[in-house]
Amino acid sequence: MSKIEYLRVIVNNKCNLSCFFCHREGERCVDRLIDVDQESLVKMINILAECGIRKVKFLGGEPTLCRQLPDIISDLCQNNDLYISMITNGVVTKNVIDRFCDAG
C-alpha cells in the first residue's frame, strides 16, 4: 500500500475568468462562494500532516479570491514543514499580491 503524502484543497469555486478549458464538472455555471472555515481547515490539515501529508495544493475556482487563504497559509507555515502551492490563473491585482506577501 502506498503512502498518501499529497492533498489538494478546493477553497472556492468562484473565478474572475471564464476559460473554456476550466474543469467544472458537475457544476452549474453559477459562481457560488464556498464558506471556508479557517480554523477547521487548518486543524484538519495539521492532523493530516501528522499522518504523513507533506504537500498541500490550494485550488478553486480561483484560490486568490478566497480572502482567508493568506491567513490559512500563514497558520500552516507556522506549525508544519509542508510544501504549499497553489493553482492560479495569475490574474490578480496588487492588493491581492500584498495580502499574500503580508501573510508570510
Side-chain angles (χ1 to χ4, degrees), residues 42 45-46 58 72-80 82 84:
V42 169
I45 294 172
N46 283 332
F58 291 101
I72 291 168
I73 291 171
S74 180
D75 289 349
L76 291 173
C77 288
Q78 291 177 25
N79 300 322
N80 294 301
L82 292 171
I84 297 174

Side-chain angles (χ1 to χ4, degrees), residues 7-12 34-49 56-59 66 68-69 71-73 75-76 80 82:
L7 178 67
R8 292 171 53 123
V9 179
I10 298 172
V11 292
N12 65 11
I34 297 171
D35 289 328
V36 175
D37 180 344
Q38 180 177 337
E39 184 179 337
S40 296
L41 182 58
V42 169
K43 183 184 242 182
M44 179 194 68
I45 294 172
N46 283 332
I47 291 168
L48 292 170
V56 178
K57 182 171 292 206
F58 291 101
L59 55 145
C66 175
Q68 303 99 317
L69 190 55
D71 293 329
I72 291 168
I73 291 171
D75 289 349
L76 291 173
N80 294 301
L82 292 171

Side-chain angles (χ1 to χ4, degrees), residues 1 3-4 7 14 18 23 36 38 41-42 47 53 78 82 87 94 98-100:
M1 180 184 272
K3 186 176 176 183
I4 298 172
L7 178 67
K14 188 168 178 58
S18 296
H23 294 277
V36 175
Q38 180 177 337
L41 182 58
V42 169
I47 291 168
I53 293 294
Q78 291 177 25
L82 292 171
I87 296 176
K94 183 179 179 327
D98 289 344
R99 277 189 12 241
F100 280 88

